[in-house]
Amino acid sequence: MHRLLYIGILFELAACTPKHPKPLPGDLLFQVGRSSAMNEAIAEATDNNNELTFTHVAIFFEEGGSDSVLEATSPGGVRITPLQEFLDRAERVKGRPGVVVMRLRDTAGLARSVKRAKEYLGLPYDFSYRPDNGRLYCSELVWESYRDTCGRRIFPARPMNFRAADGAMPAFWTEFFEKLGEPIPEGVPGTNPNDMAREGILTEVGRYF
């Protein structure tokens, strides 16, 4: 009787335990970032009232037999990061890493896209959020790397928005770009993780929470 009860408890725990998704090379991992001034400013500008607000995205691949991601982040710029380290940096959702795995519906040219992304290793992080300046931010790395078999980018660039929902420009961005000595790139074509995750060319294949 006790053995049956023990087995029943194990089955119940297994049913309640989320299964870790198994990403494939080239899958995109969208991360709900931990609270910080920059993440809050990004979320405020890109939140679209959906269930989750993503502030970071990385490319999954296997490096030396280990699960890793290729990401553009600060500090470090474009770098290789162990998957577990990437998961540990995410905000907790239901006590687990707030990371969603998305996969291209059409994987033609995917291997070439991942190879192209690796060619950007070592580039500095793009704090200016502007295209074609020899630096990359997280979704810009994906935007530059992921192309179809004809070499065309598969993710669109749209006019960037740094304003809050009420139309006001947050003090964070005003002070941030004043320190850089650059104008805020409001309206400049660009990308962000939140919009990218909602593109129809992607499908969700798993969550870590």
Side-chain angles (χ1 to χ4, degrees):
M1 181 66 181
H2 289 295
R3 180 176 296 178
L4 290 175
L5 179 62
Y6 177 70
I7 293 173
I9 291 173
L10 286 179
F11 274 116
E12 184 176 349
L13 288 173
C16 295
T17 302
K19 293 182 179 179
H20 286 182
K22 175 53 182 174
L24 297 178
D27 283 351
L28 298 179
L29 275 57
F30 290 89
Q31 183 187 82
V32 180
R34 290 185 180 274
S35 179
S36 69
M38 176 169 281
N39 281 344
E40 289 174 8
I42 292 172
E44 193 172 8
T46 64
D47 185 17
N48 51 13
N49 297 316
N50 277 306
E51 174 191 1
L52 297 169
T53 298
F54 301 113
T55 58
H56 189 47
V57 60
I59 301 166
F60 176 83
F61 74 108
E62 295 176 348
E63 175 74 4
S66 300
D67 291 346
S68 304
V69 299
L70 183 65
E71 61 176 343
T73 188
S74 173
V78 182
R79 67 177 190 177
I80 295 171
T81 302
L83 174 62
Q84 190 58 54
E85 179 183 325
F86 177 83
L87 296 174
D88 289 343
R89 292 205 317 262
E91 183 61 86
R92 301 293 100 173
V93 177
K94 303 175 186 176
R96 304 182 68 83
V99 173
V100 174
V101 184
M102 306 287 283
R103 183 169 297 156
L104 287 176
R105 296 180 187 274
D106 181 359
T107 58
L110 181 58
R112 188 175 299 175
S113 292
V114 175
K115 181 180 179 181
R116 184 181 294 110
K118 292 180 181 179
E119 293 173 358
Y120 294 117
L121 276 169
L123 285 185
Y125 186 78
D126 186 6
F127 288 104
S128 299
Y129 298 101
R130 285 179 168 80
D132 304 320
N133 61 0
R135 295 173 287 179
L136 294 170
Y137 56 90
C138 66
S139 55
E140 187 182 17
L141 171 63
V142 177
W143 178 73
E144 285 284 8
S145 303
Y146 279 56
R147 304 184 183 225
D148 63 19
T149 54
C150 295
R152 297 170 297 202
R153 295 184 181 94
I154 63 174
F155 288 101
R158 298 187 175 91
M160 287 190 290
N161 172 61
F162 289 81
R163 297 183 181 276
D166 62 1
M169 184 62 70
F172 174 87
W173 292 122
T174 301
E175 296 169 3
F176 182 85
F177 284 99
E178 281 180 353
K179 290 178 181 178
L180 289 180
E182 300 178 4
I184 298 173
E186 179 76 11
V188 173
T191 63
N192 68 73
N194 233 18
D195 285 345
M196 188 170 280
R198 271 86 188 181
E199 294 293 345
I201 60 175
L202 293 174
T203 184
E204 181 179 324
V205 294
R207 299 182 172 198
Y208 283 90
F209 57 91

